[in-house]
Short mmCIF file of all heavy atoms in Angstrom, two decimals:
data_model
loop_
_atom_site.label_atom_id
_atom_site.label_comp_id
_atom_site.label_asym_id
_atom_site.label_seq_id
_atom_site.Cartn_x
_atom_site.Cartn_y
_atom_site.Cartn_z
N ASP A 1 93.86 101.19 103.27
CA ASP A 1 94.97 102.05 102.86
C ASP A 1 96.30 101.30 102.89
O ASP A 1 97.16 101.50 102.04
CB ASP A 1 95.03 103.31 103.71
CG ASP A 1 93.85 104.24 103.43
OD1 ASP A 1 93.27 104.15 102.33
OD2 ASP A 1 93.51 105.05 104.30
N GLU A 2 96.46 100.42 103.87
CA GLU A 2 97.66 99.59 103.94
C GLU A 2 97.74 98.66 102.73
O GLU A 2 98.81 98.51 102.12
CB GLU A 2 97.65 98.77 105.23
CG GLU A 2 98.80 97.80 105.37
CD GLU A 2 98.63 96.87 106.57
OE1 GLU A 2 97.96 97.25 107.55
OE2 GLU A 2 99.17 95.76 106.52
N VAL A 3 96.63 98.07 102.38
CA VAL A 3 96.58 97.17 101.23
C VAL A 3 96.92 97.93 99.96
O VAL A 3 97.72 97.47 99.14
CB VAL A 3 95.19 96.51 101.11
CG1 VAL A 3 95.03 95.78 99.79
CG2 VAL A 3 94.94 95.57 102.27
N LEU A 4 96.33 99.10 99.79
CA LEU A 4 96.58 99.88 98.58
C LEU A 4 98.03 100.34 98.51
O LEU A 4 98.61 100.39 97.42
CB LEU A 4 95.61 101.05 98.51
CG LEU A 4 94.13 100.65 98.37
CD1 LEU A 4 93.25 101.88 98.37
CD2 LEU A 4 93.91 99.80 97.13
N ALA A 5 98.63 100.63 99.64
CA ALA A 5 100.05 101.01 99.66
C ALA A 5 100.93 99.83 99.23
O ALA A 5 101.96 100.03 98.57
CB ALA A 5 100.45 101.50 101.04
N LEU A 6 100.52 98.61 99.57
CA LEU A 6 101.29 97.43 99.19
C LEU A 6 101.30 97.20 97.68
O LEU A 6 102.17 96.50 97.16
CB LEU A 6 100.75 96.19 99.90
CG LEU A 6 101.11 96.06 101.37
CD1 LEU A 6 100.33 94.91 102.00
CD2 LEU A 6 102.60 95.85 101.54
N ARG A 7 100.34 97.78 96.96
CA ARG A 7 100.31 97.62 95.50
C ARG A 7 101.58 98.14 94.86
O ARG A 7 101.96 97.69 93.77
CB ARG A 7 99.12 98.38 94.92
CG ARG A 7 97.82 97.70 95.15
CD ARG A 7 96.67 98.47 94.54
NE ARG A 7 96.81 98.61 93.10
CZ ARG A 7 96.58 99.75 92.45
NH1 ARG A 7 96.21 100.84 93.08
NH2 ARG A 7 96.72 99.79 91.13
N ALA A 8 102.26 99.10 95.51
CA ALA A 8 103.50 99.64 94.95
C ALA A 8 104.55 98.54 94.80
O ALA A 8 105.42 98.63 93.93
CB ALA A 8 104.03 100.77 95.83
N LYS A 9 104.47 97.51 95.64
CA LYS A 9 105.40 96.38 95.57
C LYS A 9 104.92 95.32 94.59
O LYS A 9 105.62 94.36 94.32
CB LYS A 9 105.57 95.74 96.94
CG LYS A 9 106.22 96.62 97.97
CD LYS A 9 106.34 95.85 99.27
CE LYS A 9 107.01 96.65 100.34
NZ LYS A 9 107.14 95.87 101.59
N GLY A 10 103.70 95.46 94.13
CA GLY A 10 103.09 94.48 93.23
C GLY A 10 101.77 94.00 93.78
O GLY A 10 101.58 93.92 94.99
N GLU A 11 100.87 93.69 92.87
CA GLU A 11 99.53 93.27 93.28
C GLU A 11 99.56 92.03 94.17
O GLU A 11 98.75 91.88 95.08
CB GLU A 11 98.66 93.02 92.05
CG GLU A 11 97.22 92.73 92.39
CD GLU A 11 96.33 92.68 91.17
OE1 GLU A 11 96.61 93.37 90.17
OE2 GLU A 11 95.33 91.95 91.23
N ASP A 12 100.52 91.15 93.92
CA ASP A 12 100.59 89.93 94.72
C ASP A 12 100.81 90.23 96.21
O ASP A 12 100.30 89.52 97.07
CB ASP A 12 101.65 88.98 94.19
CG ASP A 12 103.03 89.61 94.10
OD1 ASP A 12 103.12 90.81 93.83
OD2 ASP A 12 104.03 88.88 94.29
N HIS A 13 101.55 91.29 96.51
CA HIS A 13 101.77 91.66 97.92
C HIS A 13 100.45 92.12 98.57
O HIS A 13 100.16 91.77 99.72
CB HIS A 13 102.82 92.77 98.03
CG HIS A 13 104.19 92.31 97.69
ND1 HIS A 13 104.97 91.58 98.56
CD2 HIS A 13 104.92 92.46 96.57
CE1 HIS A 13 106.12 91.30 98.00
NE2 HIS A 13 106.12 91.82 96.77
N ALA A 14 99.69 92.90 97.83
CA ALA A 14 98.41 93.38 98.35
C ALA A 14 97.45 92.21 98.55
O ALA A 14 96.78 92.12 99.59
CB ALA A 14 97.82 94.41 97.41
N LEU A 15 97.38 91.33 97.58
CA LEU A 15 96.48 90.18 97.70
C LEU A 15 96.89 89.25 98.83
O LEU A 15 96.03 88.72 99.54
CB LEU A 15 96.42 89.42 96.37
CG LEU A 15 95.76 90.16 95.22
CD1 LEU A 15 95.87 89.36 93.94
CD2 LEU A 15 94.31 90.50 95.54
N GLU A 16 98.17 89.07 99.00
CA GLU A 16 98.65 88.24 100.11
C GLU A 16 98.19 88.82 101.44
O GLU A 16 97.77 88.09 102.35
CB GLU A 16 100.18 88.16 100.07
CG GLU A 16 100.78 87.26 101.12
CD GLU A 16 102.30 87.21 101.00
OE1 GLU A 16 102.81 87.09 99.86
OE2 GLU A 16 102.96 87.27 102.05
N ARG A 17 98.23 90.13 101.56
CA ARG A 17 97.79 90.79 102.80
C ARG A 17 96.29 90.60 103.00
O ARG A 17 95.82 90.30 104.10
CB ARG A 17 98.15 92.29 102.75
CG ARG A 17 97.62 93.09 103.92
CD ARG A 17 98.34 92.70 105.22
NE ARG A 17 97.81 93.46 106.33
CZ ARG A 17 97.00 92.94 107.24
NH1 ARG A 17 96.65 91.67 107.21
NH2 ARG A 17 96.54 93.69 108.22
N ILE A 18 95.51 90.77 101.93
CA ILE A 18 94.06 90.61 102.03
C ILE A 18 93.71 89.19 102.45
O ILE A 18 92.98 88.96 103.41
CB ILE A 18 93.37 90.96 100.69
CG1 ILE A 18 93.51 92.45 100.38
CG2 ILE A 18 91.89 90.56 100.73
CD1 ILE A 18 93.08 92.83 98.97
N TYR A 19 94.22 88.20 101.70
CA TYR A 19 93.88 86.80 101.98
C TYR A 19 94.38 86.37 103.35
O TYR A 19 93.68 85.63 104.07
CB TYR A 19 94.43 85.89 100.89
CG TYR A 19 93.93 86.22 99.50
CD1 TYR A 19 94.73 85.99 98.39
CD2 TYR A 19 92.68 86.78 99.28
CE1 TYR A 19 94.29 86.29 97.11
CE2 TYR A 19 92.24 87.08 98.01
CZ TYR A 19 93.05 86.83 96.93
OH TYR A 19 92.61 87.13 95.67
N GLY A 20 95.56 86.83 103.70
CA GLY A 20 96.10 86.49 105.02
C GLY A 20 95.26 87.06 106.15
O GLY A 20 95.00 86.39 107.15
N ALA A 21 94.82 88.30 105.98
CA ALA A 21 94.00 88.95 107.01
C ALA A 21 92.65 88.26 107.18
O ALA A 21 92.20 88.03 108.30
CB ALA A 21 93.81 90.43 106.67
N ILE A 22 92.03 87.93 106.07
CA ILE A 22 90.72 87.26 106.13
C ILE A 22 90.87 85.88 106.77
O ILE A 22 90.07 85.48 107.62
CB ILE A 22 90.08 87.18 104.74
CG1 ILE A 22 89.73 88.59 104.23
CG2 ILE A 22 88.82 86.30 104.78
CD1 ILE A 22 89.31 88.63 102.77
N GLY A 23 91.91 85.15 106.37
CA GLY A 23 92.14 83.82 106.94
C GLY A 23 92.41 83.88 108.44
O GLY A 23 91.87 83.09 109.21
N ALA A 24 93.23 84.86 108.85
CA ALA A 24 93.54 85.00 110.28
C ALA A 24 92.28 85.36 111.06
O ALA A 24 92.06 84.86 112.17
CB ALA A 24 94.62 86.06 110.47
N ALA A 25 91.44 86.22 110.48
CA ALA A 25 90.20 86.60 111.17
C ALA A 25 89.28 85.40 111.32
O ALA A 25 88.63 85.24 112.36
CB ALA A 25 89.50 87.73 110.40
N ALA A 26 89.23 84.55 110.31
CA ALA A 26 88.36 83.38 110.37
C ALA A 26 88.83 82.36 111.40
O ALA A 26 88.01 81.65 111.99
CB ALA A 26 88.29 82.72 108.98
N ARG A 27 90.13 82.32 111.63
CA ARG A 27 90.69 81.36 112.59
C ARG A 27 90.86 81.94 113.99
O ARG A 27 91.06 81.20 114.95
CB ARG A 27 92.05 80.88 112.11
CG ARG A 27 92.04 80.05 110.86
CD ARG A 27 93.43 79.54 110.51
NE ARG A 27 94.43 80.60 110.37
CZ ARG A 27 94.65 81.29 109.25
NH1 ARG A 27 93.94 81.05 108.18
NH2 ARG A 27 95.58 82.22 109.21
N GLY A 28 90.80 83.24 114.12
CA GLY A 28 91.14 83.90 115.38
C GLY A 28 90.12 83.72 116.49
O GLY A 28 88.95 83.37 116.26
N ASP A 29 90.58 83.95 117.70
CA ASP A 29 89.71 83.83 118.87
C ASP A 29 88.61 84.89 118.90
O ASP A 29 87.59 84.70 119.55
CB ASP A 29 90.54 83.93 120.15
CG ASP A 29 91.46 82.73 120.33
OD1 ASP A 29 91.16 81.65 119.77
OD2 ASP A 29 92.49 82.89 121.03
N ASP A 30 88.85 86.01 118.21
CA ASP A 30 87.86 87.10 118.23
C ASP A 30 86.95 87.09 117.00
O ASP A 30 86.33 88.08 116.67
CB ASP A 30 88.54 88.45 118.38
CG ASP A 30 89.56 88.72 117.30
OD1 ASP A 30 89.90 87.79 116.53
OD2 ASP A 30 90.03 89.87 117.21
N ARG A 31 86.83 85.93 116.34
CA ARG A 31 86.02 85.87 115.12
C ARG A 31 84.55 86.18 115.37
O ARG A 31 83.89 86.73 114.50
CB ARG A 31 86.21 84.54 114.39
CG ARG A 31 85.78 83.32 115.13
CD ARG A 31 86.10 82.05 114.32
NE ARG A 31 85.81 80.86 115.07
CZ ARG A 31 86.68 80.28 115.89
NH1 ARG A 31 87.88 80.77 116.05
NH2 ARG A 31 86.34 79.19 116.56
N GLN A 32 84.05 85.87 116.55
CA GLN A 32 82.65 86.22 116.84
C GLN A 32 82.48 87.73 116.96
O GLN A 32 81.49 88.28 116.48
CB GLN A 32 82.17 85.50 118.10
CG GLN A 32 82.00 84.01 117.87
CD GLN A 32 81.46 83.30 119.09
OE1 GLN A 32 81.53 83.80 120.20
NE2 GLN A 32 80.93 82.11 118.88
N ASP A 33 83.44 88.41 117.56
CA ASP A 33 83.39 89.87 117.64
C ASP A 33 83.47 90.48 116.24
O ASP A 33 82.77 91.45 115.93
CB ASP A 33 84.54 90.41 118.50
CG ASP A 33 84.40 90.02 119.96
OD1 ASP A 33 83.26 89.78 120.41
OD2 ASP A 33 85.44 89.96 120.64
N ILE A 34 84.32 89.91 115.40
CA ILE A 34 84.44 90.40 114.03
C ILE A 34 83.13 90.16 113.29
O ILE A 34 82.65 91.03 112.56
CB ILE A 34 85.62 89.71 113.31
CG1 ILE A 34 86.94 90.17 113.95
CG2 ILE A 34 85.61 90.01 111.82
CD1 ILE A 34 88.15 89.36 113.54
N GLY A 35 82.52 89.00 113.49
CA GLY A 35 81.22 88.70 112.87
C GLY A 35 80.16 89.70 113.28
O GLY A 35 79.37 90.18 112.45
N ARG A 36 80.14 90.06 114.55
CA ARG A 36 79.17 91.06 115.03
C ARG A 36 79.44 92.43 114.40
O ARG A 36 78.51 93.14 114.02
CB ARG A 36 79.20 91.14 116.56
CG ARG A 36 78.42 90.02 117.23
CD ARG A 36 78.26 90.27 118.73
NE ARG A 36 79.50 90.02 119.46
CZ ARG A 36 79.92 88.84 119.88
NH1 ARG A 36 79.19 87.76 119.64
NH2 ARG A 36 81.04 88.70 120.55
N ALA A 37 80.71 92.78 114.30
CA ALA A 37 81.06 94.07 113.69
C ALA A 37 80.64 94.11 112.22
O ALA A 37 80.12 95.12 111.74
CB ALA A 37 82.56 94.33 113.81
N LEU A 38 80.82 93.00 111.52
CA LEU A 38 80.40 92.94 110.12
C LEU A 38 78.88 93.00 110.00
O LEU A 38 78.35 93.69 109.13
CB LEU A 38 80.95 91.69 109.45
CG LEU A 38 82.46 91.65 109.28
CD1 LEU A 38 82.90 90.29 108.76
CD2 LEU A 38 82.95 92.77 108.38
N ARG A 39 78.19 92.29 110.88
CA ARG A 39 76.72 92.34 110.88
C ARG A 39 76.25 93.77 111.11
O ARG A 39 75.38 94.27 110.39
CB ARG A 39 76.16 91.43 111.97
CG ARG A 39 74.62 91.45 112.02
CD ARG A 39 74.08 90.97 113.35
NE ARG A 39 74.59 91.84 114.41
CZ ARG A 39 74.86 91.41 115.65
NH1 ARG A 39 74.68 90.16 115.98
NH2 ARG A 39 75.30 92.25 116.55
N ASP A 40 76.84 94.44 112.08
CA ASP A 40 76.46 95.83 112.36
C ASP A 40 76.77 96.73 111.16
O ASP A 40 76.01 97.65 110.85
CB ASP A 40 77.18 96.34 113.60
CG ASP A 40 76.72 95.66 114.88
OD1 ASP A 40 75.67 94.96 114.86
OD2 ASP A 40 77.43 95.80 115.91
N GLY A 41 77.89 96.45 110.48
CA GLY A 41 78.24 97.23 109.29
C GLY A 41 77.22 97.05 108.17
O GLY A 41 76.86 98.02 107.49
N VAL A 42 76.75 95.83 107.98
CA VAL A 42 75.72 95.57 106.96
C VAL A 42 74.44 96.31 107.32
O VAL A 42 73.83 96.98 106.47
CB VAL A 42 75.46 94.06 106.81
CG1 VAL A 42 74.22 93.81 105.96
CG2 VAL A 42 76.67 93.36 106.22
N LEU A 43 74.03 96.23 108.56
CA LEU A 43 72.80 96.91 108.98
C LEU A 43 72.93 98.42 108.83
O LEU A 43 71.99 99.08 108.37
CB LEU A 43 72.45 96.53 110.42
CG LEU A 43 72.05 95.07 110.63
CD1 LEU A 43 71.88 94.76 112.11
CD2 LEU A 43 70.79 94.75 109.85
N ASP A 44 74.08 98.98 109.18
CA ASP A 44 74.30 100.42 109.01
C ASP A 44 74.23 100.82 107.54
O ASP A 44 73.62 101.83 107.19
CB ASP A 44 75.64 100.85 109.60
CG ASP A 44 75.65 100.83 111.12
OD1 ASP A 44 74.56 100.81 111.73
OD2 ASP A 44 76.76 100.83 111.69
N ALA A 45 74.86 100.03 106.68
CA ALA A 45 74.84 100.33 105.25
C ALA A 45 73.42 100.26 104.70
O ALA A 45 73.01 101.09 103.89
CB ALA A 45 75.77 99.39 104.49
#
């Protein structure tokens, strides 16, 4: 919802938020926890 709200400022703002968030998650100390959450999400789906 935050990303979609940023579209009002232009698509580039929304994309910057998406790419920045994914990059930060990949570099962050909690990336293993995020990986587990994503794995659980795939299994639930």
Side-chain angles (χ1 to χ4, degrees):
D1 291 336
E2 176 188 333
V3 169
L4 296 177
L6 285 171
R7 285 181 61 224
K9 295 181 178 181
E11 186 171 331
D12 56 327
H13 291 282
L15 292 175
E16 184 179 316
R17 175 69 181 105
I18 293 170
Y19 301 149
I22 294 170
R27 293 184 303 275
D29 292 336
D30 57 349
R31 63 183 174 272
Q32 289 183 341
D33 293 335
I34 293 168
R36 280 190 285 276
L38 293 173
R39 179 200 60 213
D40 292 347
V42 169
L43 293 173
D44 288 343

